[in-house]
Amino acid sequence: MLRSIFYKEWIKIGKITLLFLVLGILIIAGIYLTVRHDLVLTDAEKIWDGIVNQRQIYFTIFKFLPLITGLVTGFAQFVPETTDKRIKLSLHLPMNEEEVVLKMVGFGAITVLSVFIIFFLVFYAWGIVYFPYEILKLASLTVFPWFLSGLAAYFLTSFVILEPIWKYRILYMLAGGAFLTLFYKSNRAGAYQPAIVPLAACVLLTSISSLFSIYRFRKGEM
Amino acid sequence: MDNIVECRNLTHYYGKKMVYENLSFNIRRGSILGLLGKNGAGKTTTINILNGFLTPRSGECIILGENSRNLSPAVKAKIGFLIEGHIQYSFMNIHQIEKFYSAFYPNWKRDAYFELMAKLKVTPKQKISTMSCGQRSQVALGLILAQDPELLVLDDFTLGLDPGYRRLFIDYLREYAKAENKTIFTTSHIIQDMERLIDDVMIMDYNRVLAYMPLQNFLGGFRQFNFETESSQTPIVKNGLVINFERVKNSVELYTYGKEEEIKSYLGGLGISYKNFRPVNMTLEDAFIGLTGKY
């Protein structure tokens, strides 16, 4: 049954996942080609000074990619489920209703997380060519909250789309949007280092928010 | 004969709007019960309560021994569910959707599904979303036949079907249900052809049940009489004898469970002069309109 649910979810989000994977790798390639160009052809000292002393971020273009990946994956996965109240089909499967939804959300989260891990590995591995460990550590601490925001965006999107009533959807969108801005308050590299654990805990809490939407649906809110 | 579904004293409101109060009905094992009503009469509400998608304000439905609010996976596996408009996972094609569902049901009948699919003129990779409403209805029906459930719950399955597909759907379903001793609960606001399918009928109007009985009893007992009258007034009132009546100019249509003599006697008692008094044969659709009114 688990394989079957994963099969259905992959039909919905497989293409979009691969598209974002390619897009992300192209963006990372673009980042390091720019770095190479700047180091070789322009003032390398100035670039080093910016990164080391002024904590400038040389990969700003990557900033919102995880967020958009989470949002779009959530849309691609749950809009087809709620169009024409199709979620009834999933809830009617011979399984516990909460279990069905958690497995659907779980698959989406694993997919998004896998994409982020690949992004990170490519980003880190390519960075080794140009930068020492200390700079890559700082870069990792900078991108980590962005990946967290992507996961949070995915969970909140599923929560909002599964909510049966538009009035509440809008309320959740406003609250979710405000929460997501927390991940983008600073433009200094590594600024989020002390907040990563609390933010990760908040993201973990959003992971089960879809259960509330399903509870409301089953109660008859349509 | 045992009941596969027992609903007792269902009461539900949407806000302050009452859908119905103290609705009770049973579905006998092996029978086909049709819940007929106009749009907004509470048909889908009843289906949602049966499937556990709606908690009624009071009352309960027991399905295969379990309360519909908390159906176990084992009981859900015995219930085939068709959503209004033959909604299915339209982002899949006919092979993908069969592969998906087959893992959930131990008695999955793959051949029954593909036998029906063979009648559709669709390509193997064609997504369900690109099929016609009639083709989608056959996919939904095929999936239910393959699931081989004990109880089929069909929400307004006639919606959007042209006469050919409607007839095909009904004939296939009836033959299957009777051959396999399946129980069906179906709703519809399109009455045409339903008398080919159902054994028992429940007709709902806003807030109330107008009729609930075996179909043959309803068709045999509910009568229409037409007559012309020159009287300017028609002091007929809806009561135990006169269920409904409509007057257009001098022509009166009167609906009743009473006999011809009783109606004539009633009209005579009111002093209504009439001529050309005649019984009219009714189809189920005529009887439905007679009972619920034209508007």
PDB file of all heavy atoms in Angstrom, chain A residues 4 7-8 86 88-95 97 217-218 220 222, chain B residues 48 53-54 69 73 76 79 87-90 92 96 100 103-105:
ATOM      1  N   SER A   4       2.161   1.885  -3.321  1.00  0.00           N
ATOM      2  CA  SER A   4       1.107   2.361  -4.203  1.00  0.00           C
ATOM      3  C   SER A   4       0.862   3.871  -4.000  1.00  0.00           C
ATOM      4  O   SER A   4       0.673   4.606  -4.974  1.00  0.00           O
ATOM      5  CB  SER A   4      -0.167   1.572  -3.892  1.00  0.00           C
ATOM      6  OG  SER A   4      -0.871   1.347  -5.057  1.00  0.00           O
ATOM      7  N   TYR A   7       3.665   5.705  -5.506  1.00  0.00           N
ATOM      8  CA  TYR A   7       3.516   5.656  -6.969  1.00  0.00           C
ATOM      9  C   TYR A   7       2.607   6.788  -7.448  1.00  0.00           C
ATOM     10  O   TYR A   7       2.929   7.533  -8.380  1.00  0.00           O
ATOM     11  CB  TYR A   7       2.948   4.294  -7.351  1.00  0.00           C
ATOM     12  CG  TYR A   7       2.596   4.108  -8.802  1.00  0.00           C
ATOM     13  CD1 TYR A   7       3.574   4.081  -9.784  1.00  0.00           C
ATOM     14  CD2 TYR A   7       1.266   3.940  -9.195  1.00  0.00           C
ATOM     15  CE1 TYR A   7       3.250   3.885 -11.123  1.00  0.00           C
ATOM     16  CE2 TYR A   7       0.927   3.740 -10.517  1.00  0.00           C
ATOM     17  CZ  TYR A   7       1.918   3.725 -11.476  1.00  0.00           C
ATOM     18  OH  TYR A   7       1.584   3.532 -12.786  1.00  0.00           O
ATOM     19  N   LYS A   8       1.458   6.924  -6.778  1.00  0.00           N
ATOM     20  CA  LYS A   8       0.507   7.986  -7.154  1.00  0.00           C
ATOM     21  C   LYS A   8       1.128   9.374  -6.954  1.00  0.00           C
ATOM     22  O   LYS A   8       1.013  10.242  -7.822  1.00  0.00           O
ATOM     23  CB  LYS A   8      -0.776   7.859  -6.333  1.00  0.00           C
ATOM     24  CG  LYS A   8      -1.724   9.051  -6.472  1.00  0.00           C
ATOM     25  CD  LYS A   8      -3.080   8.761  -5.892  1.00  0.00           C
ATOM     26  CE  LYS A   8      -3.121   8.825  -4.389  1.00  0.00           C
ATOM     27  NZ  LYS A   8      -3.134  10.193  -3.849  1.00  0.00           N
ATOM     28  N   ARG A  86     -11.480  15.583  -4.595  1.00  0.00           N
ATOM     29  CA  ARG A  86     -10.924  14.265  -4.898  1.00  0.00           C
ATOM     30  C   ARG A  86     -10.274  13.613  -3.678  1.00  0.00           C
ATOM     31  O   ARG A  86     -10.037  12.410  -3.662  1.00  0.00           O
ATOM     32  CB  ARG A  86      -9.894  14.424  -6.027  1.00  0.00           C
ATOM     33  CG  ARG A  86      -9.660  13.186  -6.815  1.00  0.00           C
ATOM     34  CD  ARG A  86      -8.867  13.518  -8.054  1.00  0.00           C
ATOM     35  NE  ARG A  86      -9.692  14.020  -9.122  1.00  0.00           N
ATOM     36  CZ  ARG A  86      -9.419  15.115  -9.837  1.00  0.00           C
ATOM     37  NH1 ARG A  86      -8.345  15.799  -9.617  1.00  0.00           N
ATOM     38  NH2 ARG A  86     -10.231  15.493 -10.806  1.00  0.00           N
ATOM     39  N   LYS A  88     -11.564  12.845  -1.143  1.00  0.00           N
ATOM     40  CA  LYS A  88     -12.464  11.795  -0.639  1.00  0.00           C
ATOM     41  C   LYS A  88     -11.997  10.421  -1.093  1.00  0.00           C
ATOM     42  O   LYS A  88     -12.168   9.435  -0.378  1.00  0.00           O
ATOM     43  CB  LYS A  88     -13.892  12.028  -1.167  1.00  0.00           C
ATOM     44  CG  LYS A  88     -14.633  13.165  -0.506  1.00  0.00           C
ATOM     45  CD  LYS A  88     -16.011  13.268  -1.129  1.00  0.00           C
ATOM     46  CE  LYS A  88     -16.818  14.398  -0.524  1.00  0.00           C
ATOM     47  NZ  LYS A  88     -18.141  14.503  -1.180  1.00  0.00           N
ATOM     48  N   LEU A  89     -11.453  10.361  -2.313  1.00  0.00           N
ATOM     49  CA  LEU A  89     -10.976   9.062  -2.822  1.00  0.00           C
ATOM     50  C   LEU A  89      -9.846   8.536  -1.949  1.00  0.00           C
ATOM     51  O   LEU A  89      -9.811   7.348  -1.609  1.00  0.00           O
ATOM     52  CB  LEU A  89     -10.476   9.207  -4.266  1.00  0.00           C
ATOM     53  CG  LEU A  89     -11.512   9.556  -5.327  1.00  0.00           C
ATOM     54  CD1 LEU A  89     -10.815   9.885  -6.635  1.00  0.00           C
ATOM     55  CD2 LEU A  89     -12.487   8.411  -5.520  1.00  0.00           C
ATOM     56  N   SER A  90      -8.921   9.412  -1.603  1.00  0.00           N
ATOM     57  CA  SER A  90      -7.781   8.991  -0.783  1.00  0.00           C
ATOM     58  C   SER A  90      -8.238   8.605   0.620  1.00  0.00           C
ATOM     59  O   SER A  90      -7.749   7.634   1.196  1.00  0.00           O
ATOM     60  CB  SER A  90      -6.741  10.106  -0.701  1.00  0.00           C
ATOM     61  OG  SER A  90      -6.239  10.382  -1.992  1.00  0.00           O
ATOM     62  N   LEU A  91      -9.190   9.381   1.145  1.00  0.00           N
ATOM     63  CA  LEU A  91      -9.652   9.093   2.507  1.00  0.00           C
ATOM     64  C   LEU A  91     -10.510   7.837   2.552  1.00  0.00           C
ATOM     65  O   LEU A  91     -10.705   7.260   3.623  1.00  0.00           O
ATOM     66  CB  LEU A  91     -10.435  10.282   3.066  1.00  0.00           C
ATOM     67  CG  LEU A  91      -9.645  11.578   3.214  1.00  0.00           C
ATOM     68  CD1 LEU A  91     -10.524  12.681   3.789  1.00  0.00           C
ATOM     69  CD2 LEU A  91      -8.421  11.379   4.105  1.00  0.00           C
ATOM     70  N   HIS A  92     -11.033   7.442   1.403  1.00  0.00           N
ATOM     71  CA  HIS A  92     -11.854   6.221   1.369  1.00  0.00           C
ATOM     72  C   HIS A  92     -11.004   4.958   1.185  1.00  0.00           C
ATOM     73  O   HIS A  92     -11.524   3.838   1.295  1.00  0.00           O
ATOM     74  CB  HIS A  92     -12.904   6.323   0.261  1.00  0.00           C
ATOM     75  CG  HIS A  92     -13.852   5.168   0.255  1.00  0.00           C
ATOM     76  ND1 HIS A  92     -14.777   4.971   1.263  1.00  0.00           N
ATOM     77  CD2 HIS A  92     -13.992   4.124  -0.590  1.00  0.00           C
ATOM     78  CE1 HIS A  92     -15.446   3.856   1.019  1.00  0.00           C
ATOM     79  NE2 HIS A  92     -14.999   3.326  -0.101  1.00  0.00           N
ATOM     80  N   LEU A  93      -9.729   5.120   0.929  1.00  0.00           N
ATOM     81  CA  LEU A  93      -8.875   3.931   0.777  1.00  0.00           C
ATOM     82  C   LEU A  93      -8.902   3.115   2.073  1.00  0.00           C
ATOM     83  O   LEU A  93      -9.059   3.686   3.155  1.00  0.00           O
ATOM     84  CB  LEU A  93      -7.433   4.360   0.468  1.00  0.00           C
ATOM     85  CG  LEU A  93      -7.214   4.987  -0.901  1.00  0.00           C
ATOM     86  CD1 LEU A  93      -5.816   5.589  -0.991  1.00  0.00           C
ATOM     87  CD2 LEU A  93      -7.432   3.979  -2.005  1.00  0.00           C
ATOM     88  N   PRO A  94      -8.763   1.810   1.977  1.00  0.00           N
ATOM     89  CA  PRO A  94      -8.853   0.990   3.194  1.00  0.00           C
ATOM     90  C   PRO A  94      -7.630   1.132   4.099  1.00  0.00           C
ATOM     91  O   PRO A  94      -6.837   0.195   4.265  1.00  0.00           O
ATOM     92  CB  PRO A  94      -8.996  -0.439   2.644  1.00  0.00           C
ATOM     93  CG  PRO A  94      -8.431  -0.392   1.295  1.00  0.00           C
ATOM     94  CD  PRO A  94      -8.614   0.987   0.773  1.00  0.00           C
ATOM     95  N   MET A  95      -7.469   2.316   4.619  1.00  0.00           N
ATOM     96  CA  MET A  95      -6.399   2.645   5.570  1.00  0.00           C
ATOM     97  C   MET A  95      -6.954   3.685   6.527  1.00  0.00           C
ATOM     98  O   MET A  95      -7.948   4.343   6.221  1.00  0.00           O
ATOM     99  CB  MET A  95      -5.196   3.279   4.843  1.00  0.00           C
ATOM    100  CG  MET A  95      -4.429   2.357   3.939  1.00  0.00           C
ATOM    101  SD  MET A  95      -3.176   3.296   3.032  1.00  0.00           S
ATOM    102  CE  MET A  95      -1.950   3.516   4.293  1.00  0.00           C
ATOM    103  N   GLU A  97      -7.401   7.192   7.943  1.00  0.00           N
ATOM    104  CA  GLU A  97      -7.385   8.430   7.156  1.00  0.00           C
ATOM    105  C   GLU A  97      -6.129   9.273   7.436  1.00  0.00           C
ATOM    106  O   GLU A  97      -5.522   9.822   6.515  1.00  0.00           O
ATOM    107  CB  GLU A  97      -8.633   9.280   7.447  1.00  0.00           C
ATOM    108  CG  GLU A  97      -9.934   8.692   6.929  1.00  0.00           C
ATOM    109  CD  GLU A  97     -10.532   7.666   7.872  1.00  0.00           C
ATOM    110  OE1 GLU A  97      -9.939   7.391   8.941  1.00  0.00           O
ATOM    111  OE2 GLU A  97     -11.595   7.104   7.543  1.00  0.00           O
ATOM    112  N   PHE A 217     -11.961  18.516   7.469  1.00  0.00           N
ATOM    113  CA  PHE A 217     -12.690  17.980   6.310  1.00  0.00           C
ATOM    114  C   PHE A 217     -13.619  16.845   6.745  1.00  0.00           C
ATOM    115  O   PHE A 217     -14.781  16.775   6.359  1.00  0.00           O
ATOM    116  CB  PHE A 217     -11.685  17.466   5.269  1.00  0.00           C
ATOM    117  CG  PHE A 217     -12.340  17.016   3.989  1.00  0.00           C
ATOM    118  CD1 PHE A 217     -12.585  17.914   2.971  1.00  0.00           C
ATOM    119  CD2 PHE A 217     -12.727  15.695   3.818  1.00  0.00           C
ATOM    120  CE1 PHE A 217     -13.201  17.505   1.800  1.00  0.00           C
ATOM    121  CE2 PHE A 217     -13.343  15.273   2.655  1.00  0.00           C
ATOM    122  CZ  PHE A 217     -13.575  16.185   1.636  1.00  0.00           C
ATOM    123  N   ARG A 218     -13.083  15.955   7.579  1.00  0.00           N
ATOM    124  CA  ARG A 218     -13.871  14.792   7.998  1.00  0.00           C
ATOM    125  C   ARG A 218     -15.008  15.182   8.939  1.00  0.00           C
ATOM    126  O   ARG A 218     -15.987  14.461   9.074  1.00  0.00           O
ATOM    127  CB  ARG A 218     -12.970  13.756   8.666  1.00  0.00           C
ATOM    128  CG  ARG A 218     -12.005  13.117   7.681  1.00  0.00           C
ATOM    129  CD  ARG A 218     -11.399  11.889   8.260  1.00  0.00           C
ATOM    130  NE  ARG A 218     -12.381  10.884   8.539  1.00  0.00           N
ATOM    131  CZ  ARG A 218     -12.416  10.145   9.649  1.00  0.00           C
ATOM    132  NH1 ARG A 218     -11.506  10.308  10.571  1.00  0.00           N
ATOM    133  NH2 ARG A 218     -13.347   9.235   9.819  1.00  0.00           N
ATOM    134  N   GLY A 220     -16.810  17.596   8.374  1.00  0.00           N
ATOM    135  CA  GLY A 220     -17.886  18.049   7.506  1.00  0.00           C
ATOM    136  C   GLY A 220     -17.736  19.479   7.033  1.00  0.00           C
ATOM    137  O   GLY A 220     -18.648  20.037   6.426  1.00  0.00           O
ATOM    138  N   MET A 222     -16.970  21.788   4.484  1.00  0.00           N
ATOM    139  CA  MET A 222     -16.714  21.702   3.035  1.00  0.00           C
ATOM    140  C   MET A 222     -17.184  22.986   2.357  1.00  0.00           C
ATOM    141  O   MET A 222     -18.055  23.633   2.835  1.00  0.00           O
ATOM    142  CB  MET A 222     -17.466  20.529   2.434  1.00  0.00           C
ATOM    143  CG  MET A 222     -16.928  19.195   2.863  1.00  0.00           C
ATOM    144  SD  MET A 222     -17.747  17.866   2.007  1.00  0.00           S
ATOM    145  CE  MET A 222     -17.526  16.526   3.156  1.00  0.00           C
TER     146      MET A 222
ATOM    147  N   ASN B  48     -22.299  11.690   2.278  1.00  0.00           N
ATOM    148  CA  ASN B  48     -21.143  12.100   3.085  1.00  0.00           C
ATOM    149  C   ASN B  48     -21.208  11.537   4.497  1.00  0.00           C
ATOM    150  O   ASN B  48     -20.182  11.162   5.073  1.00  0.00           O
ATOM    151  CB  ASN B  48     -21.044  13.630   3.129  1.00  0.00           C
ATOM    152  CG  ASN B  48     -20.512  14.202   1.827  1.00  0.00           C
ATOM    153  OD1 ASN B  48     -19.842  13.504   1.072  1.00  0.00           O
ATOM    154  ND2 ASN B  48     -20.822  15.445   1.549  1.00  0.00           N
ATOM    155  N   PHE B  53     -17.541  11.332   5.924  1.00  0.00           N
ATOM    156  CA  PHE B  53     -16.999  12.642   5.596  1.00  0.00           C
ATOM    157  C   PHE B  53     -17.784  13.765   6.275  1.00  0.00           C
ATOM    158  O   PHE B  53     -17.497  14.935   6.066  1.00  0.00           O
ATOM    159  CB  PHE B  53     -17.020  12.894   4.082  1.00  0.00           C
ATOM    160  CG  PHE B  53     -16.166  11.932   3.323  1.00  0.00           C
ATOM    161  CD1 PHE B  53     -16.636  11.327   2.172  1.00  0.00           C
ATOM    162  CD2 PHE B  53     -14.890  11.618   3.753  1.00  0.00           C
ATOM    163  CE1 PHE B  53     -15.856  10.429   1.467  1.00  0.00           C
ATOM    164  CE2 PHE B  53     -14.102  10.732   3.061  1.00  0.00           C
ATOM    165  CZ  PHE B  53     -14.584  10.130   1.913  1.00  0.00           C
ATOM    166  N   LEU B  54     -18.800  13.387   6.996  1.00  0.00           N
ATOM    167  CA  LEU B  54     -19.631  14.392   7.643  1.00  0.00           C
ATOM    168  C   LEU B  54     -20.183  13.788   8.929  1.00  0.00           C
ATOM    169  O   LEU B  54     -20.674  12.659   8.923  1.00  0.00           O
ATOM    170  CB  LEU B  54     -20.780  14.789   6.698  1.00  0.00           C
ATOM    171  CG  LEU B  54     -21.732  15.871   7.152  1.00  0.00           C
ATOM    172  CD1 LEU B  54     -21.008  17.184   7.378  1.00  0.00           C
ATOM    173  CD2 LEU B  54     -22.823  16.068   6.108  1.00  0.00           C
ATOM    174  N   ARG B  69     -18.918   6.973  11.370  1.00  0.00           N
ATOM    175  CA  ARG B  69     -17.933   7.994  11.757  1.00  0.00           C
ATOM    176  C   ARG B  69     -16.542   7.406  11.908  1.00  0.00           C
ATOM    177  O   ARG B  69     -15.559   8.118  11.814  1.00  0.00           O
ATOM    178  CB  ARG B  69     -18.328   8.632  13.091  1.00  0.00           C
ATOM    179  CG  ARG B  69     -19.561   9.484  12.992  1.00  0.00           C
ATOM    180  CD  ARG B  69     -19.802  10.176  14.318  1.00  0.00           C
ATOM    181  NE  ARG B  69     -21.235  10.371  14.526  1.00  0.00           N
ATOM    182  CZ  ARG B  69     -21.750  10.945  15.580  1.00  0.00           C
ATOM    183  NH1 ARG B  69     -20.980  11.386  16.543  1.00  0.00           N
ATOM    184  NH2 ARG B  69     -23.046  11.094  15.688  1.00  0.00           N
ATOM    185  N   PRO B  73     -10.430   0.087   8.265  1.00  0.00           N
ATOM    186  CA  PRO B  73      -9.967  -0.219   6.909  1.00  0.00           C
ATOM    187  C   PRO B  73     -10.641  -1.461   6.324  1.00  0.00           C
ATOM    188  O   PRO B  73     -10.959  -1.486   5.139  1.00  0.00           O
ATOM    189  CB  PRO B  73      -8.464  -0.440   7.101  1.00  0.00           C
ATOM    190  CG  PRO B  73      -8.108   0.428   8.266  1.00  0.00           C
ATOM    191  CD  PRO B  73      -9.295   0.342   9.191  1.00  0.00           C
ATOM    192  N   LYS B  76     -14.034  -0.397   5.135  1.00  0.00           N
ATOM    193  CA  LYS B  76     -13.913   0.499   3.971  1.00  0.00           C
ATOM    194  C   LYS B  76     -13.586  -0.289   2.705  1.00  0.00           C
ATOM    195  O   LYS B  76     -14.014   0.074   1.608  1.00  0.00           O
ATOM    196  CB  LYS B  76     -12.829   1.559   4.228  1.00  0.00           C
ATOM    197  CG  LYS B  76     -13.313   2.673   5.151  1.00  0.00           C
ATOM    198  CD  LYS B  76     -12.551   3.973   4.962  1.00  0.00           C
ATOM    199  CE  LYS B  76     -11.211   3.956   5.585  1.00  0.00           C
ATOM    200  NZ  LYS B  76     -10.501   5.246   5.469  1.00  0.00           N
ATOM    201  N   ILE B  79     -16.613  -1.358   0.846  1.00  0.00           N
ATOM    202  CA  ILE B  79     -17.517  -0.321   0.322  1.00  0.00           C
ATOM    203  C   ILE B  79     -16.909   0.300  -0.933  1.00  0.00           C
ATOM    204  O   ILE B  79     -15.808   0.856  -0.891  1.00  0.00           O
ATOM    205  CB  ILE B  79     -17.752   0.796   1.373  1.00  0.00           C
ATOM    206  CG1 ILE B  79     -18.294   0.199   2.676  1.00  0.00           C
ATOM    207  CG2 ILE B  79     -18.718   1.841   0.832  1.00  0.00           C
ATOM    208  CD1 ILE B  79     -18.351   1.196   3.825  1.00  0.00           C
ATOM    209  N   ILE B  87     -15.759  11.320 -10.422  1.00  0.00           N
ATOM    210  CA  ILE B  87     -14.421  11.862 -10.140  1.00  0.00           C
ATOM    211  C   ILE B  87     -13.464  10.719  -9.815  1.00  0.00           C
ATOM    212  O   ILE B  87     -13.771   9.846  -9.016  1.00  0.00           O
ATOM    213  CB  ILE B  87     -14.488  12.838  -8.939  1.00  0.00           C
ATOM    214  CG1 ILE B  87     -15.461  13.975  -9.212  1.00  0.00           C
ATOM    215  CG2 ILE B  87     -13.093  13.369  -8.598  1.00  0.00           C
ATOM    216  CD1 ILE B  87     -15.124  14.841 -10.380  1.00  0.00           C
ATOM    217  N   GLN B  88     -12.328  10.737 -10.491  1.00  0.00           N
ATOM    218  CA  GLN B  88     -11.251   9.792 -10.177  1.00  0.00           C
ATOM    219  C   GLN B  88      -9.925  10.545 -10.286  1.00  0.00           C
ATOM    220  O   GLN B  88      -9.917  11.739 -10.512  1.00  0.00           O
ATOM    221  CB  GLN B  88     -11.291   8.577 -11.135  1.00  0.00           C
ATOM    222  CG  GLN B  88     -12.028   7.367 -10.563  1.00  0.00           C
ATOM    223  CD  GLN B  88     -11.442   6.871  -9.251  1.00  0.00           C
ATOM    224  OE1 GLN B  88     -10.312   7.192  -8.907  1.00  0.00           O
ATOM    225  NE2 GLN B  88     -12.223   6.104  -8.500  1.00  0.00           N
ATOM    226  N   TYR B  89      -8.845   9.834 -10.099  1.00  0.00           N
ATOM    227  CA  TYR B  89      -7.535  10.486 -10.213  1.00  0.00           C
ATOM    228  C   TYR B  89      -7.266  10.750 -11.694  1.00  0.00           C
ATOM    229  O   TYR B  89      -6.696   9.911 -12.391  1.00  0.00           O
ATOM    230  CB  TYR B  89      -6.452   9.606  -9.603  1.00  0.00           C
ATOM    231  CG  TYR B  89      -6.612   9.405  -8.120  1.00  0.00           C
ATOM    232  CD1 TYR B  89      -6.867   8.158  -7.576  1.00  0.00           C
ATOM    233  CD2 TYR B  89      -6.491  10.490  -7.248  1.00  0.00           C
ATOM    234  CE1 TYR B  89      -7.009   7.976  -6.203  1.00  0.00           C
ATOM    235  CE2 TYR B  89      -6.633  10.326  -5.883  1.00  0.00           C
ATOM    236  CZ  TYR B  89      -6.893   9.070  -5.371  1.00  0.00           C
ATOM    237  OH  TYR B  89      -7.031   8.910  -4.014  1.00  0.00           O
ATOM    238  N   SER B  90      -7.678  11.935 -12.140  1.00  0.00           N
ATOM    239  CA  SER B  90      -7.684  12.201 -13.573  1.00  0.00           C
ATOM    240  C   SER B  90      -6.283  12.436 -14.139  1.00  0.00           C
ATOM    241  O   SER B  90      -6.118  12.507 -15.350  1.00  0.00           O
ATOM    242  CB  SER B  90      -8.573  13.405 -13.872  1.00  0.00           C
ATOM    243  OG  SER B  90      -8.152  14.493 -13.103  1.00  0.00           O
ATOM    244  N   MET B  92      -4.032  10.296 -13.923  1.00  0.00           N
ATOM    245  CA  MET B  92      -3.508   8.966 -14.282  1.00  0.00           C
ATOM    246  C   MET B  92      -4.170   8.485 -15.573  1.00  0.00           C
ATOM    247  O   MET B  92      -5.219   8.988 -15.967  1.00  0.00           O
ATOM    248  CB  MET B  92      -3.833   7.954 -13.177  1.00  0.00           C
ATOM    249  CG  MET B  92      -3.149   8.210 -11.853  1.00  0.00           C
ATOM    250  SD  MET B  92      -3.562   6.872 -10.710  1.00  0.00           S
ATOM    251  CE  MET B  92      -2.599   7.331  -9.288  1.00  0.00           C
ATOM    252  N   GLN B  96      -2.326   3.076 -15.073  1.00  0.00           N
ATOM    253  CA  GLN B  96      -1.758   3.588 -13.816  1.00  0.00           C
ATOM    254  C   GLN B  96      -2.771   3.496 -12.683  1.00  0.00           C
ATOM    255  O   GLN B  96      -2.429   3.082 -11.566  1.00  0.00           O
ATOM    256  CB  GLN B  96      -1.319   5.048 -14.005  1.00  0.00           C
ATOM    257  CG  GLN B  96      -0.093   5.215 -14.878  1.00  0.00           C
ATOM    258  CD  GLN B  96       0.197   6.675 -15.185  1.00  0.00           C
ATOM    259  OE1 GLN B  96      -0.722   7.498 -15.310  1.00  0.00           O
ATOM    260  NE2 GLN B  96       1.461   7.008 -15.311  1.00  0.00           N
ATOM    261  N   PHE B 100      -2.512   1.381  -9.239  1.00  0.00           N
ATOM    262  CA  PHE B 100      -2.601   2.043  -7.935  1.00  0.00           C
ATOM    263  C   PHE B 100      -3.607   1.343  -7.021  1.00  0.00           C
ATOM    264  O   PHE B 100      -3.280   0.945  -5.911  1.00  0.00           O
ATOM    265  CB  PHE B 100      -2.993   3.514  -8.130  1.00  0.00           C
ATOM    266  CG  PHE B 100      -3.382   4.208  -6.856  1.00  0.00           C
ATOM    267  CD1 PHE B 100      -2.419   4.518  -5.898  1.00  0.00           C
ATOM    268  CD2 PHE B 100      -4.702   4.533  -6.582  1.00  0.00           C
ATOM    269  CE1 PHE B 100      -2.769   5.142  -4.707  1.00  0.00           C
ATOM    270  CE2 PHE B 100      -5.061   5.162  -5.396  1.00  0.00           C
ATOM    271  CZ  PHE B 100      -4.098   5.463  -4.456  1.00  0.00           C
ATOM    272  N   ALA B 103      -3.378  -2.592  -5.330  1.00  0.00           N
ATOM    273  CA  ALA B 103      -2.589  -2.938  -4.144  1.00  0.00           C
ATOM    274  C   ALA B 103      -3.409  -2.859  -2.855  1.00  0.00           C
ATOM    275  O   ALA B 103      -3.012  -3.410  -1.829  1.00  0.00           O
ATOM    276  CB  ALA B 103      -1.391  -1.998  -4.038  1.00  0.00           C
ATOM    277  N   PHE B 104      -4.554  -2.181  -2.916  1.00  0.00           N
ATOM    278  CA  PHE B 104      -5.320  -1.961  -1.688  1.00  0.00           C
ATOM    279  C   PHE B 104      -6.369  -3.040  -1.427  1.00  0.00           C
ATOM    280  O   PHE B 104      -6.874  -3.141  -0.308  1.00  0.00           O
ATOM    281  CB  PHE B 104      -6.037  -0.601  -1.761  1.00  0.00           C
ATOM    282  CG  PHE B 104      -5.094   0.564  -1.672  1.00  0.00           C
ATOM    283  CD1 PHE B 104      -4.602   1.173  -2.817  1.00  0.00           C
ATOM    284  CD2 PHE B 104      -4.671   1.040  -0.437  1.00  0.00           C
ATOM    285  CE1 PHE B 104      -3.737   2.242  -2.738  1.00  0.00           C
ATOM    286  CE2 PHE B 104      -3.798   2.102  -0.351  1.00  0.00           C
ATOM    287  CZ  PHE B 104      -3.333   2.709  -1.506  1.00  0.00           C
ATOM    288  N   TYR B 105      -6.714  -3.784  -2.464  1.00  0.00           N
ATOM    289  CA  TYR B 105      -7.845  -4.704  -2.318  1.00  0.00           C
ATOM    290  C   TYR B 105      -7.410  -6.139  -2.610  1.00  0.00           C
ATOM    291  O   TYR B 105      -6.988  -6.451  -3.739  1.00  0.00           O
ATOM    292  CB  TYR B 105      -8.980  -4.276  -3.259  1.00  0.00           C
ATOM    293  CG  TYR B 105      -9.446  -2.875  -2.964  1.00  0.00           C
ATOM    294  CD1 TYR B 105      -9.027  -1.795  -3.739  1.00  0.00           C
ATOM    295  CD2 TYR B 105     -10.255  -2.611  -1.864  1.00  0.00           C
ATOM    296  CE1 TYR B 105      -9.409  -0.496  -3.440  1.00  0.00           C
ATOM    297  CE2 TYR B 105     -10.658  -1.313  -1.562  1.00  0.00           C
ATOM    298  CZ  TYR B 105     -10.229  -0.260  -2.348  1.00  0.00           C
ATOM    299  OH  TYR B 105     -10.614   1.022  -2.051  1.00  0.00           O
TER     300      TYR B 105
END
